[in-house]
Every structure is written in C-alpha cells, then in structure tokens.
Amino acid sequence: MFRRLLACALLLAAGPAAAQQSIDSAYTATIRELTPTDSVWKFSTDLVDYLPASATVPTPLAALGYVPGTVGRLSHVGDINRYFKAVADASPRARLFSLGLSDEGREMILLAIADEATMGRLDEFRAMLGRLADPRGLSADERARLVRDAKPIYWLTGSIHSPETGSPEMLMELAYRLVVDESEYVRAIRNGVITLITPVLEVDGRDRVVDVYNLTKSLKLPRGGVNLIYWGKYTAHDNNRDGMVLSQTLTQNYIRGFLEWKPVVGHDLHESVPFLYTSTGTGPYNDEFDPIVIDEWHKLAYQEINELTRRGLPGVWTHGFYDGWAPNYVLAIANLHNSIGRFYETYTGSGADCHTVNLRSSQTDREWYRPNPPVNGVTWCLRSNINFQQSGVLVALRYVADNRQTFLENYAAKAERMVQRGRTTAPFAYVIPRGQRRAAEAADLVALFRMQGSEVHVASKDFTLTRKPGAKGDAAENQIAVREGDWIVRMDQPYTQTVRTLLAIQEYEPDDPRPYDDTGWTLDALRHVETIAIADRAVLDQPMTLLAEDAVVSGAVSGRGSTFLVPHLGDWRSAALPWKVGTASVEVADSAFTVAKRTYPAGTFVISDGPDGSARAAIERLGLEGVAVREPPDVPRHAITLPRIALMHTWRETQNEGWVRYALDRMEIPYASISDQELRAPGALDGFDVIVFPHVRGSVGSLLNGQPMVGPPIPWKRSDLTPHLGRIDETDDMRPGMGLEGAAALRGFVERGGLLLVEGASTQLPIDLGFTPTVSTTEARSLRAQGGVFRVQAVEAGSPILYGYERNTFPVYFSQSPLLTVQEADTSVSAREREAQMDPAMVSAIEAMRARVVLQFHERQDSLLVSGLLVGGNELTKKAAVVNAPLGEGHVVYFAIRPFWRWETQGSFALALNAIANWNALDP
Ligand SMILES: [Zn+2]
C-alpha cells in the first residue's frame, strides 16, 4: 500500500518523463524514513524525496551500504572518491578529474556532469568559456556565437570546513541524481549546464572529522565532546581565509582547477546558521565586486528562496549573515575572476544525528530579510540538511540552465568591463620595481599574481612615465623612471580585481555593519614591498614582454675573501640566513661600521664561510647581497647560536599555531612540535632554547586546567577506530592543560636563560602569571581595530629584534587586542630621593628587570591607520607592539601584533625570526 501510493506521488512530482523511469523504491522509502515529519512544515521537496532507479549506475546505497542522511553514518574520503569514480565509470554523462593531492596525499577530485552530447564535446565547451573569459580580440560575431552556444559551468564544492559534514553526503546523492534522473527538471539541467562536483575540499580534515564522530560515539560523549583539533595539516577554519594569498595546498589546487575550468558559478557548501542561508551578505561588499555579480547573487538567492518556500520549507533566507568585505574566502576567488562566488549555510545535522531544534529568538525572529524564519520544536536530522541543500542546488542549477544566455552575457560582460576599465581608468598598471630593497619578496608577490591568473609583464627597456598626468610643477618630481626588468601588471586584462584589492587601501567605515573578518589587508604594505600605481595611460604602450614563468631574484657575493658581509634587509630571507649557511659561522655586528668606504648598519651578518661554500650558495639562493672581505671588520659583534626551538600548541585550538607552523615550514626553520601538556613532565624543556607559543584564545585558567577531567580519557591518536588521527601530534588524553607544573616549568625555562615568544592572546599567560611585572594589558573601551594594517614606530632602535628594519615606522597587522603597556620608570622627585638612598647596584638591578618596548603603535592618532577600520584610535596610540621583557637569565618577548598572520605579513616575519636567532643576545 505504502509503496503504491509512493509511486503515484512520484509520478506526479517528477512529471511525465518519469513515467518511463522506475524509481528505486527501497532507497526512496529510506529517504522518507530518514526525513523528519511535522504537521505544519516540510523538510523535503518533490525534487529530492525519491531516487530514480538505474540499471547501470550504482546508488550510494548500493556502493556504500547506506543512504546519505542515515543516522550514525559518514563516509571517509576514500569511499567518497571511490563512489564518484564508480559513477563516472558507469555513465557517459560523467567524467572524473583530479584536482591534485592534499598535504597528506589524499586526492581532491572533480566530477563533471552533463548530457552525453555535451560530455562528448567537453573540451570544446571548456574552450568556449575560456574564450569568453578573455574577450581581448574577440569579434562581435564570434562573441554572439559563443554566448548562444556555450554552456555555463557550475562548480559545487563541499566541506571545506570539516565539522560541516553534510555536503559530501549530499553531493554523492546529487551526482547520482544528475546522471540518472530522466525527469524534465533534471534533463533541463543536464542539457543547460555543465555541473562540476568536488565533494570534499578539505580532504585531510574530512577523514579526521569522520574518525572524531566515530570516536565521540564510542566514548558515549555528546557532540563536540571530542574536539576536532586538527583539520588540514596546518589550518582549521582559516582554510577558508586563504583566497587572497593561496598559501595552502587546498587553495592552490582550487585556483588551478578554477583557471582550467573558468566556471560561471562557484558554489561553496557550508553548515552553520538555520535552516538554509543562501549568500548575499549585508555589505559593505568588497570594492572590486562587479555590480553585475552582486545582482546575480541576489537573483539566485531569491530564486531559491521563492522555490523552496513555495515547496513548504521553513527558514530559507538571505542577507543578514556575513558582510562580503574581505576577499579571502574560496568563493571570493570566483567573485574576483568575473564569475559568481556564492555559498550556503545549511543547518547542521550535528555530524550525522537528529535533534530537536531549540534556537535563540534572534535566529527565529521574522525580519525583512527573513520573512519565513526557522522554527523551534521540530526535529532536525542530517537528512533534513541534505534535503535542504540538495533542493536548493537543484533550483539554482535549473535557474542557470533556463537563463544560461543571460548568465553567459553577464560572464562575458564582466570580463569586457574589466579590460575596458583598465584601458580608460587609472590605475592603468602597477609597476613593481625589481631593484627594490626586498626584491625577493617582491618576486613572491609577482608569483602570487601569476598564480591568481593575472598576466605580469617585464619592462624590456628603461622608460619614463608621468606620476600625475596634467599636474604642474617640477617636471622631474612628476616622473616615474621604470627600469628594464621591472615587473608590470597591466590593468587592461580580464583578471585584475585581485591585484587591485590586494594593493588598495581599504576604508571600512565606522557605521558599516560589524565586520565579519579582517577589514584591511593591503598586501604590499604588510609585506614591505614597493609597488607604484600608474596613472599615466602611456604605460600600456611601453616596451614589455609577458613573463612566462615565476620571477626569481638571485643574490650575489662580490669581492674577494672568505668573510662575507651581508646587510640585513629586514625581510625573512635575511633573518633566516643563519639557518641556511650550513657549516659557516655567523656573527652579527652590534653597531654600524665602514669597510672600503661603505657603511654597514648594525645587524649586518659577518659570516666565515665553511669549507663547502654553503654560505655563498645560501646568499645567492635567498636573493641577498654579500660582500667578501679578507678580514672581519673591527666592530663589536656577537655570534649566532642557533636555538633549539619548541613550537607549542594546546589541545584546545591549533588554528593559529598552524599558521606559525606553516610559516616556519615554508621558511625551512627547524623546530620541534610540543603540546602544553608535555610541560608537566620534569625536564621537558631541557632540550630547548626558545619556546614559541602562538595566539590561543581563552583565559589563563583554561590554559592551565584544559578541559574538565570528567568522563573517559579522550585520546587523539591513531587506532583501528580512528586511523586518521594522531599524525601531527598525539596524546592519550586531550583534556589536561599545562597545569601549574607546566606554568612553573615555563618560568624556570626562561629564568635559566630561555626565550619565550608569545603573540596575540597568548601574551596573557606570562602577564597573568606575573613573569614580568612591568608588563600589563588594558581593556579597550571604544577602540575598534578589527583585523587591519597599522603603523608602528621603533622605540628601542638598537634592539636585535629590529635588525634590518631601515625605517623608523612601518606597517604591521594587528587585530583589536591585546593592548600592552610597559610601566615606565618613576622619575618623580620623591622616587629619585628614594633611589638616592639605595645601593646603586640595587637600583640598576631593578632597572634591568624592567621590560623594554621595542616597537609601539604610532604616537599620532592620524598616522596610525594604514588600511581597514579604526575607531577610538587614541586607545591604541603608543601602546606597545613588541616588548622585550627580561626574567632571570632569559626573556619573554611579547608580540601584540601578529607577525605570522595567515601568510600575509611577511614584512613582520623578521621581527620574530630576529628575536629567535638572537635569543641569547637580547640584553642591551
Ligand atoms: Zn563553513
């Protein structure tokens, strides 16, 4: 009876064409059993409440043994990838591609789906989109033909955020449905668009989260009882904050795939707010998003809202979540490359479970942008998540298929507008001088632009441009001399938005909505690279050649002798030099000196090369400049003793430790990873000279205590149940923190001569434990400085931490806190009188304990902000940015700024590396 009714309903729902296609009745019945029912609301639609049968293509049930949405079942990456391969093997409507391997060797895949005729000419369709994506030299006739004949590519990507488990499960079923379903609805999609599916973007994290889900169940803990401490190898949630600098393997695989396929839409599937948020955002939108794409977000979102609301789904809405300002998300890559970047947030199925919805009123209130809000009291399951996402995606695919000419017109127009803008509006180009101080860092920026798909040229002759066309005054002052070899990014090309936004000054207005992420990211400022925006249109007619491979800056050693003088350039390559010179011995000049009429500043390396010539090779490889002399100069200097570095993480959060670990790995600085728990073991720190403890949130109490010691031990290690855990670090029990023993061990470590380097929120630990009584933090009252670029000033100019920094003020990244202060010496008359009665040795001993400010935020409020949001800047002026605090024989170095922020802040890498390299020479 049930079966027969079901079949009738399906015939109605799926339209006339379905009459020829039988349904998979067992699978369909399971979908319905897994979907919660309610007397008022629906949690499924006619688009997904059945599954068509196929004689050739295996269903997820047949291949994996369960229907996606089954409570307690999530697939590992190997099984997901095998399923997509099985679909591709079984159907001429699907083809599987590889996007490359992850950091840990798991494959990121892409399945292309369309009808047989389209798949037979897939390369041709790719080429058509490619031609529209770069309209230079395209005739009007050819353009019209392409807009008529091409097909939009729509790329769906699942689970970049590992705890958001539903999308890979949904995408397996969607792949089957798109390949097999003969309904008119799906046939129109197959005919009208080429769908690409990447079921999992963060493949390493996916395997771990499935293990964690299974472990949580086996320990009988509630959701979240086992913390997903590592997602990918380095980054957790921030794997979706890498769209600007493309540092992570995941993002690099994505951008390569993007530039190969040039999709019209990139759609990223997330899980958080109820029930289905389809992206538009509150604004302010990034300045570089084309007005057309902003319109397209809204068109697609409102189409989904309309179609899903009409089908009875509660809680499908848009607007009031996320701003659209920082372009560091994966979807921003699409939005900055003339495509449409969008995302869903679908309410979570809590791993693979059901629960009763119990939301705050702020999530269920009816708002202008949410007239059909989520509801409380209903049952929500992983299958609800799958039904909502899948229905929404089918609506979007169908809408793009039905309106493909409009979307293709827009796609072509956005690229044309970009080229046209570069021809008519300044800046017409950016010049990146090759002869600049930190040329190797500049070359990295050039490489980034190329990885982003932008063309970079090289000036093939010297030429001169006008700085301000039409300006009167000194002619020489109004000229820019471009040298042969300088890099030029022309703006009369289709992919310029990333370049523009990375080199622009961001102005986040105080009355804009509360920012969702960083407000300023001006990359040449953060990396201390010189770029010149060109307002002279004549640049486009100058002699230049297209750069065909990544720029490389080689260094050189001039002169004769086995002692090398290597000026520190204030970049990470200079600062890392002591680690790169093999058997050579490295000293650092503690003051300026002159050799052969050339003056070398303090911080210059004095290197005696080893027998294997490794120092010379390192100088050349790093793009540095060395001068060989016969005798070491007569200048006070100290030897570099490379420290044994411990990079410390907690078992609560590794997000920020991961970025620091990534930076150290990229720079090839050796270190040992330790956890804070290990401090409890006697002598745990005996083998180290430097401990780097990156930003971690939470109170000092929570750092000491860790998680409550109730319930069973929570292991993070490889086991039969959890084969993917324990690779980066492991423990038998994640709950304990460092304890008071660990805190005492840290203090003892510093007192015996070690360096403890803390940044961001981890500065609170040594302050609250009283390690350095003259350092304190203050709470912000009205300061709003979320994630931006700010100017700092050198205070202790002679500090080794500032070696190589040639300017007294420079830009750094900072976000809101901590506000560090160092107590100044009391210079009042009464204090001097007291001192006069003391033993002078005692006075100087007390003074030697006083922490010293190395860098401070700019003393003038109007000079503080470089890029981003700043309100209440008077609370930030003169606050300490870097502090060097003695304790016993050692030091605590505090960074209020974030020197290794998301592989964006290369300009401040050397501050941290200098502190580490000079760990035993930090006293004046
Ligand atoms: Zn997410």
Side-chain angles (χ1 to χ4, degrees):
M1 179 69 171
F2 172 70
R3 287 271 158 91
R4 200 157 60 83
L5 276 177
L6 184 66
C8 289
L10 284 165
L11 289 180
L12 278 173
Q20 283 96 50
Q21 188 174 27
S22 55
I23 63 155
D24 184 325
S25 53
Y27 194 114
T28 300
T30 307
I31 292 177
R32 297 191 167 195
E33 281 162 20
L34 295 172
T35 301
T37 54
D38 183 81
S39 57
V40 180
W41 299 104
K42 288 189 179 173
F43 297 94
S44 188
T45 69
D46 57 316
L47 302 174
V48 301
D49 68 353
Y50 70 98
L51 199 79
S54 167
T56 51
V57 182
T59 65
L61 175 61
L64 304 166
Y66 71 95
V67 170
T70 298
V71 171
R73 297 298 300 268
L74 295 171
S75 280
H76 283 102
V77 171
D79 292 326
I80 294 168
N81 287 1
R82 257 192 301 284
Y83 180 69
F84 277 83
K85 181 169 188 311
V87 172
D89 287 347
S91 172
R93 294 171 176 170
R95 240 166 90 187
L96 191 66
F97 298 83
S98 177
L99 287 171
L101 300 182
S102 70
D103 284 315
E104 295 180 358
R106 295 176 183 85
E107 187 159 37
M108 293 170 62
I109 60 167
L110 179 153
L111 186 77
I113 302 171
D115 62 22
E116 289 92 327
T118 307
M119 291 306 289
R121 297 165 56 207
L122 189 58
D123 288 343
E124 202 182 319
F125 279 107
R126 267 163 75 159
M128 284 191 228
L129 270 193
R131 194 66 192 90
L132 284 175
D134 184 356
R136 290 173 292 182
L138 187 65
S139 72
D141 285 354
E142 178 68 353
R143 182 193 191 282
R145 187 189 72 77
L146 290 170
V147 168
R148 190 189 63 223
D149 294 346
K151 297 192 178 184
I153 291 179
Y154 195 118
W155 190 5
L156 292 157
T157 51
S159 202
I160 189 170
H161 286 156
S162 303
E164 303 166 10
T165 49
S167 55
E169 304 291 325
M170 182 282 276
L171 288 167
M172 288 194 281
E173 187 175 289
L174 178 72
Y176 175 89
R177 192 181 299 281
L178 287 177
V179 164
V180 162
D181 198 327
E182 295 299 341
S183 67
E184 184 275 335
Y185 200 96
V186 174
R187 277 190 293 126
I189 293 172
R190 265 198 312 268
N191 177 257
V193 297
I194 298 165
T195 306
L196 307 183
I197 298 178
T198 295
V200 187
L201 275 177
E202 176 55 275
V203 282
D204 298 336
R206 172 69 182 189
D207 272 351
R208 282 196 257 280
V209 81
V210 176
D211 282 5
V212 159
Y213 178 79
N214 294 334
L215 177 63
T216 308
K217 292 276 153 184
S218 87
L219 295 174
K220 299 191 168 52
L221 292 170
R223 178 174 195 247
V226 181
N227 185 10
L228 184 69
I229 191 74
Y230 294 103
W231 301 17
K233 182 176 178 185
Y234 296 109
T235 54
H237 195 268
D238 269 9
N239 60 10
N240 199 28
R241 301 297 191 273
D242 191 42
M244 294 190 292
V245 298
L246 311 177
S247 67
Q248 303 296 299
T249 303
L250 176 167
T251 332
Q252 292 173 358
N253 288 342
Y254 180 86
I255 186 82
R256 263 201 312 277
F258 183 93
L259 295 173
E260 271 172 32
W261 290 88
K262 300 194 168 62
V264 171
V265 186
H267 188 157
D268 201 14
L269 297 165
H270 289 260
E271 237 174 76
S272 65
V273 291
F275 284 138
L276 196 167
Y277 171 83
T278 171
S279 64
T280 50
T282 59
Y285 297 138
N286 182 279
D287 290 337
E288 291 305 324
F289 294 159
D290 193 300
I292 291 175
V293 83
I294 292 168
D295 185 53
E296 289 172 320
W297 300 336
H298 287 83
K299 276 206 172 68
L300 283 161
Y302 279 103
Q303 183 65 18
E304 290 155 347
I305 292 167
N306 186 102
E307 291 298 305
L308 299 183
T309 303
R310 199 180 68 233
R311 284 170 165 87
L313 300 190
V316 183
W317 58 290
T318 189
H319 178 76
F321 173 79
Y322 140 99
D323 52 29
W325 177 250
N328 44 17
Y329 312 97
V330 157
L331 67 119
I333 291 176
N335 286 319
L336 292 176
H337 289 78
N338 305 319
S339 298
I340 302 165
R342 59 195 312 259
F343 68 98
Y344 286 169
E345 299 284 351
T346 313
Y347 192 42
T348 181
S350 304
D353 291 336
C354 295
H355 71 281
T356 302
V357 175
N358 180 17
L359 300 162
R360 300 187 302 274
S361 62
S362 63
Q363 295 175 293
T364 55
D365 286 348
R366 185 179 162 119
E367 303 284 354
W368 71 260
Y369 53 83
R370 199 172 54 197
N372 173 29
V375 290
N376 274 327
V378 296
T379 302
W380 182 273
C381 298
L382 179 60
R383 186 67 215 187
S384 322
N385 167 291
I386 290 172
N387 290 342
F388 272 59
Q389 289 189 56
Q390 192 173 186
S391 299
V393 163
L394 285 164
V395 167
L397 287 170
R398 178 63 191 258
Y399 186 70
V400 173
D402 288 350
N403 297 279
R404 62 181 179 273
Q405 300 226 314
T406 304
F407 281 100
L408 290 168
E409 278 287 358
N410 288 349
Y411 180 78
K414 285 182 282 186
E416 288 156 357
R417 286 153 65 85
M418 208 43 60
V419 175
Q420 187 62 16
R421 182 176 159 197
R423 285 175 183 154
T424 56
T425 315
F428 298 99
Y430 288 89
V431 169
I432 306 174
R434 193 185 176 97
Q436 62 184 285
R437 181 178 172 89
R438 287 171 281 270
E441 194 60 57
D444 285 352
L445 188 61
V446 168
L448 172 60
F449 290 152
R450 294 188 71 251
M451 207 194 296
Q452 287 278 7
S454 308
E455 294 172 355
V456 180
H457 286 75
V458 179
S460 44
K461 282 193 183 126
D462 290 0
F463 55 85
T464 305
L465 298 169
T466 307
R467 194 174 296 277
K468 286 185 184 161
K472 295 195 176 68
D474 188 339
E477 207 157 84
N478 197 24
Q479 287 195 339
I480 299 168
V482 179
R483 301 287 174 213
E484 181 184 339
D486 284 356
W487 297 292
I488 302 167
V489 189
R490 302 172 64 107
M491 291 291 110
D492 60 342
Q493 58 169 319
Y495 293 155
T496 58
Q497 300 100 309
T498 310
V499 178
R500 288 175 196 272
T501 192
L502 286 178
L503 301 183
I505 298 292
Q506 283 77 46
E507 292 173 13
Y508 201 96
E509 300 298 332
D511 54 356
D512 280 333
R514 207 171 70 84
Y516 193 79
D517 199 80
D518 280 348
T519 58
W521 48 82
T522 309
L523 205 65
D524 50 347
L526 286 175
R527 292 190 172 180
H528 297 186
V529 168
E530 182 193 358
T531 68
I532 309 166
I534 303 297
D536 182 352
R537 200 193 170 287
V539 67
L540 299 176
D541 304 318
Q542 300 303 316
M544 61 182 83
T545 55
L546 184 66
L547 188 60
E549 53 192 29
D550 278 341
V552 177
V553 170
S554 303
V557 178
S558 61
R560 281 163 166 260
S562 60
T563 297
F564 302 149
L565 309 178
V566 185
H568 194 315
L569 304 176
D571 64 341
W572 71 259
R573 287 177 171 85
S574 302
L577 184 61
W579 280 274
K580 311 287 185 183
V581 296
T583 55
S585 61
V586 181
E587 295 177 309
V588 180
D590 289 319
S591 58
F593 61 95
T594 302
V595 172
K597 293 184 185 160
R598 176 172 169 180
T599 302
Y600 295 83
T604 297
F605 294 109
V606 180
I607 301 178
S608 304
D609 205 355
D612 56 355
S614 49
R616 179 183 290 269
I619 291 164
E620 290 169 356
R621 193 175 63 248
L622 290 166
L624 304 175
E625 189 219 345
V627 177
V629 293
R630 293 182 199 282
E631 295 289 325
D634 181 20
V635 59
R637 52 188 192 270
H638 67 270
I640 296 281
T641 317
L642 285 182
R644 298 161 296 174
I645 304 169
L647 177 62
M648 187 163 77
H649 73 86
T650 65
W651 288 101
R652 299 166 60 236
E653 182 203 316
T654 60
Q655 169 89 290
N656 296 282
E657 177 269 346
W659 280 115
V660 177
R661 183 156 41 89
Y662 174 76
L664 293 178
D665 281 355
R666 275 287 294 265
M667 297 185 291
E668 298 178 346
I669 304 287
Y671 62 90
S673 253
I674 64 167
S675 81
D676 58 351
Q677 296 182 341
E678 293 172 46
L679 300 187
R680 290 167 176 262
L685 296 175
D686 286 354
F688 298 109
D689 306 304
V690 171
I691 297 173
V692 179
F693 186 34
H695 171 94
V696 60
R697 280 175 304 221
S699 66
V700 169
S702 67
L703 280 176
L704 298 191
N705 291 331
Q707 297 172 49
M709 295 298 285
V710 292
I714 302 174
W716 183 276
K717 61 195 298 187
R718 201 183 296 219
S719 71
D720 289 345
L721 181 69
T722 58
H724 305 287
L725 303 189
R727 283 164 191 251
I728 302 159
D729 198 358
E730 64 174 49
T731 179
D732 290 327
D733 190 355
M734 296 167 75
R735 295 173 302 165
M738 68 174 70
L740 288 169
E741 312 93 290
L746 265 186
R747 184 177 179 119
F749 166 83
V750 179
E751 284 175 337
R752 290 193 304 275
L755 166 65
L756 172 63
L757 192 158
V758 285
E759 56 140 23
S762 69
T763 55
Q764 209 61 49
L765 182 76
I767 291 173
D768 284 3
L769 292 174
F771 285 10
T772 58
T774 55
V775 185
S776 60
T777 52
T778 50
E779 289 293 317
R781 277 179 231 184
S782 60
L783 176 70
R784 293 173 63 206
Q786 185 172 346
V789 189
F790 302 90
R791 235 174 242 109
V792 288
Q793 288 176 305
V795 177
E796 193 181 48
S799 168
I801 294 171
L802 288 175
Y803 282 160
Y805 286 85
E806 78 281 17
R807 290 172 295 172
N808 274 326
T809 89
F810 51 84
V812 298
Y813 174 89
F814 172 74
S815 187
Q816 194 62 31
S817 65
L819 299 180
L820 290 185
T821 309
V822 171
Q823 189 185 23
E824 290 177 19
D826 188 348
T827 53
S828 65
V829 173
S830 57
R832 284 169 184 232
E833 282 170 1
R834 263 199 315 277
E835 276 181 10
Q837 295 162 13
M838 286 160 61
D839 177 354
M842 192 169 162
V843 172
S844 61
I846 290 171
E847 273 318 294
M849 285 168 57
R850 188 179 304 287
R852 297 187 304 279
V853 177
V854 176
L855 270 179
Q856 69 177 18
F857 288 95
H858 206 285
E859 64 197 351
R860 286 183 43 182
Q861 200 176 334
D862 59 0
S863 297
L864 198 49
L865 180 65
V866 177
S867 189
L869 168 69
L870 180 64
V871 177
N874 59 312
E875 292 185 62
L876 187 58
T877 51
K878 291 192 80 171
K879 288 291 187 304
V882 179
V883 173
N884 176 10
L887 168 62
E889 300 294 309
H891 299 83
V892 179
V893 170
Y894 294 87
F895 280 84
I897 63 171
R898 303 289 299 280
F900 295 115
W901 179 248
R902 292 178 177 168
W903 197 245
E904 293 172 23
T905 54
Q906 275 77 342
S908 43
F909 283 9
L911 296 170
L913 290 186
N914 285 346
I916 294 170
N918 296 283
W919 64 281
N920 54 357
L922 290 172
D923 286 323

